[in-house]
Amino acid sequence: MAKGAQPATEALSQLRVIEIGSSAATSYCARLFADFGADVSKVEPPAADPLRSSAPLTPSGQSAWFAFLNFNKSSITIDPGDPEAIKRLTRLVEDCDILVDGRDIDCAECPSIDVAAIRQRHSGLIYLEASWFSREGPYCEFAASDSVVRALAGLVKLVGPIEGPPLHAPDFQTGILAGLWGFIAVASSLVARLGSRAGRSHSLSIYEACIALSEYQLFEAIERGEAMHRMGVNRFWPNFPAGIYETKKGWLGVTTITPKQWRALCDMLDLPQLRDDPALVLGADRLKHVEQIERLIVPKLKTRTARQWFAEALQRKIPIVPVPEISDLLKDKEKIERGAIVPLLIGEQRALTAGSMQRLTLTPPRRGGKVPAAGERQAFTSGRMGSARGTSVPSGGARLAEQPLEGVRAIDFSMGWAGPFCTRTLADLGADVIKIEAIQYPDWWRGVDRRPNYVHGQRYEKTFRFCIMNRNKRGITLDLTRPEGLSVAKRLIARADIVVDNYSVDVLPKLGLGYEVLRTLNPRLVVMSMSAFGTNSIHRVCRAYGSTLEQGSALPSVVGTSNGPPVMSHVAFGDAIGGLNGCAAVLVALIHARQTGQGQFIDLAQVECMMPFTAPWIIVHSLSGASERYGNRHPQFVPHGCFRCAGEDNWIMLAVTDASMWQRLAALIGRAEWAADPSLKSERRRRLIEDTIENEIESWTRRRDADDAMAELQDARVAAGVVRAPVDLLQDPHLRSRAFFQEVERAFIGRHLQPSIPIREGAVPSPIRRAAPTLGQHNSEILADLLGLEEVEIADLVSKGIIGSKMLSEEELRKGRSQDPSTC
């Protein structure tokens, strides 16, 4: 919290939210509103939400997953057989601000209501509807599960041993991802409603929401013209080493991206022969020599403990982190103090779980809470503010903006993936995002190669990853280490609503742009620091990438087999997750600022943003000390897993989610006696012969092309999906039917594809308004039109190297350019 600032009321205490249907995504979306004080009511049938029976279970038989998704909510039971049920539900919706609808995933006996008619009467209502795939397209009626959707979205095939089968993390992935997207959609509409008083309606595809994690690998494969393949456990293209290694005691996450980091790692391990080998300068080069490198580094790492290597790596600025177990999280005093681990009451059981990771300092989220029993109302004492409930837009009144964040301005000091993804999402929703780079140190996603051929050939303008992550933004270059550049930055900030950075925690303060300075320039300003561990963490100086964040979150400790190593799920899982959580946090703070005139500081620790993926295990372990890894199996669905199909490295994901689906599967694969056996309706009885069932399924799938197998299984209403590589998404028939990939023109690379945002207000995706900026592309436009600088003043900034449009080479930097404001 800023010095002298006092905690305000809960940021969203003025809101009333109704949640209907049964969906992890919509439950998590609604719970994020409850975190910040909203009155959230979950509508359940008399038999309760089906998610209340989801595994893993606590020792008393409560669902840990349901508990995490629903604490701090109230529960309202409505019997669909009651003649008054529709009227009662309609009245509830008419008296709320936000309706979050998961009925397309599971109706959960929810009475049918006419949402369109309600919105006609209540124009301030904000409506979010979620579905697995959307209501149109080839997959719209597919039976699905968390793992099936992730397989189709390219999030499974690249994980695990080379020979297969691909390994996948347990469920609870898509609910968190899509829940964040849903929250962002609704929160952006709340910002818009403060101006227009009109509500908006959004549809959310959970499948498309997951592509936020696979789009990087998809476009890297296109740019490099290389076919990605599984490289082994804890190995991911295009960087190496970027995995988990055994030490003398404990496991260690190691990531080296830049040549400088690679040299530092080799020096730390006393391996000069690797450091000085010109064939090992870049991560892509090192991937060609994996076995040679690991023969040398693996024995070295086993000579010291994970904690010892971590301490030395901090001094050498190498992205290295110990890989914790769930038990380590529960003992982590810093995470408890920060609210990353919070108390949870489930019936009479007192547990711990992952808290809210949107760390607003003036209007902080609730720290823990109670899980409602079915039909239990919870009373909160938050004050209520005026809302748009029951209002209508005045005749001739405010225009409904084309995009919800139209009129919002953000200053983007971020680089790489996480920060730019946060600000890209703001830009996609209509904000004017001004990206700040420097010719001395542009965004490192333009490339870390400073050799003359790369720089003078302007290859830094040709990287797809940068273009994907920075669309819809304007770009300016500023040397912030010099007074003239700093002055321009301050003038831009004074006219902005939001500032985002993902540098190391000390970079902006040392430049004279710390929060205490910025809040004097603009008291309404929302400022977010997206560091790896938090601004006050004992590990605050730790360098980190998206891989480091996953390694440090304990998620790898629950992935894989019980006798295997901790397993990473993605090349950089933490980046996209940090970006989404950052966007959610900024929008909450912006809503508060628009209502009260109070800006605030957001201390987002990206490693904490990964912890919700482990939340069910945190709960169970806090109560019983138990922690189980399932491999590709499932604690509730039998059978469940990844099965080989015809051809080389072709697989299909299959999940049997109920007894009737089991009977349809058994009949399809030619085991009619299994379908007829009433005892096998029980998941527990099927568990006893799980090996036999899996062998029989694979005998059936191995004779079929993966797409053909998916078609047959889906025709039988069995949840199944092809295990696709990220690049396969370009040819995905469902995404093509939805026009998910848009074509954009940009200098240096010409026409190229861009993924759409997964939330829509109509049948088509929001159009991409502008391509990513070339370096310094909008210098004159921003300086002249926004700040009123004359041509001679702009020319002076160019002559002094304060602004420019050409990246400097290593040689030019050595001639006295500014020091490196390196990112976290």
Side-chain angles (χ1 to χ4, degrees), residues 576-643:
I577 301 305
L580 288 172
N581 277 276
C583 186
V586 160
L587 290 173
V588 173
L590 183 62
I591 292 166
H592 177 76
R594 289 286 172 92
Q595 291 177 319
T596 66
Q598 293 178 306
Q600 62 180 300
F601 180 70
I602 302 170
D603 177 17
L604 191 88
Q606 291 189 60
V607 72
E608 295 173 359
C609 296
M610 288 295 299
M611 288 170 53
F613 293 101
T614 66
W617 287 271
I618 295 173
I619 292 172
V620 171
H621 194 93
S622 73
L623 292 169
S624 68
S627 185
E628 185 177 353
R629 289 198 275 177
Y630 309 115
N632 279 355
R633 288 180 172 176
H634 194 281
Q636 185 175 357
F637 305 147
V638 181
H640 181 282
C642 207
F643 299 92

Side-chain angles (χ1 to χ4, degrees), residues 264-377:
L265 176 68
C266 293
D267 286 339
M268 185 175 77
L269 299 179
D270 192 22
L271 294 170
Q273 66 272 43
L274 295 181
R275 179 197 63 203
D276 299 333
D277 189 336
L280 304 178
V281 173
L282 299 177
D285 300 329
R286 296 191 289 273
L287 272 175
K288 301 170 186 175
H289 305 279
V290 168
E291 303 303 331
Q292 169 198 341
I293 293 170
E294 287 197 337
R295 273 197 303 270
L296 295 172
I297 69 171
V298 167
K300 288 278 188 177
L301 288 170
K302 290 181 179 178
T303 62
R304 302 174 72 181
T305 69
R307 285 285 166 189
Q308 289 171 330
W309 286 124
F310 179 51
E312 185 167 350
L314 286 176
Q315 301 301 314
R316 296 176 181 266
K317 300 182 179 180
I318 310 170
I320 283 180
V321 65
V323 178
E325 300 283 342
I326 297 296
S327 57
D328 297 320
L329 292 184
L330 294 172
K331 293 181 288 188
D332 191 323
K333 293 180 180 178
E334 181 175 284
K335 288 185 171 55
I336 294 171
E337 183 178 336
R338 285 178 55 84
I341 298 290
V342 296
L344 181 66
L345 186 62
I346 313 173
E348 299 301 317
Q349 301 176 96
R350 296 187 179 276
L352 295 172
T353 192
S356 173
M357 305 311 164
Q358 293 81 35
R359 196 77 62 233
L360 279 64
T361 54
L362 183 64
T363 57
R366 291 169 172 163
R367 291 200 170 202
K370 182 175 185 287
V371 182
E376 180 185 5
R377 297 288 301 181

Side-chain angles (χ1 to χ4, degrees), residues 142-185:
F142 269 19
S145 72
D146 187 291
S147 58
V148 166
V149 169
R150 281 184 284 135
L152 282 165
L155 297 178
V156 171
K157 191 164 190 176
L158 300 181
V159 184
I162 295 172
E163 67 279 6
L167 264 175
H168 58 90
D171 284 358
F172 325 124
Q173 308 277 309
T174 67
I176 304 297
L177 263 168
L180 283 164
W181 275 116
F183 181 83
I184 288 166

Side-chain angles (χ1 to χ4, degrees), residues 479-561:
D479 184 349
L480 299 175
T481 67
R482 297 165 72 186
E484 299 94 332
L486 190 62
S487 174
V488 172
K490 287 181 176 179
R491 291 177 66 184
L492 288 172
I493 289 166
R495 292 163 170 79
D497 301 283
I498 297 164
V499 169
V500 173
D501 91 87
N502 68 338
Y503 297 150
S504 296
V505 295
D506 292 330
V507 170
L508 284 188
K510 284 181 178 178
L511 290 170
L513 294 173
Y515 179 63
E516 293 300 332
V517 173
L518 300 187
R519 68 194 293 254
T520 63
L521 297 173
N522 183 350
R524 297 171 60 91
L525 191 67
V526 172
V527 178
M528 180 169 66
S529 169
M530 297 178 62
S531 63
F533 291 89
T535 57
N536 298 314
S537 171
I538 57 173
H539 306 313
R540 64 199 301 268
V541 298
C542 178
R543 302 300 170 104
Y545 293 101
S547 50
T548 320
L549 305 172
E550 181 181 4
Q551 292 159 359
S553 70
L555 178 60
S557 73
V558 300
V559 182
T561 58

Side-chain angles (χ1 to χ4, degrees), residues 208 611 655 732:
E208 292 170 16
M611 288 170 53
D732 181 273

Side-chain angles (χ1 to χ4, degrees), residues 50-62:
L51 287 175
R52 286 186 183 269
S53 61
S54 295
L57 303 178
T58 68
S60 65
Q62 305 290 315

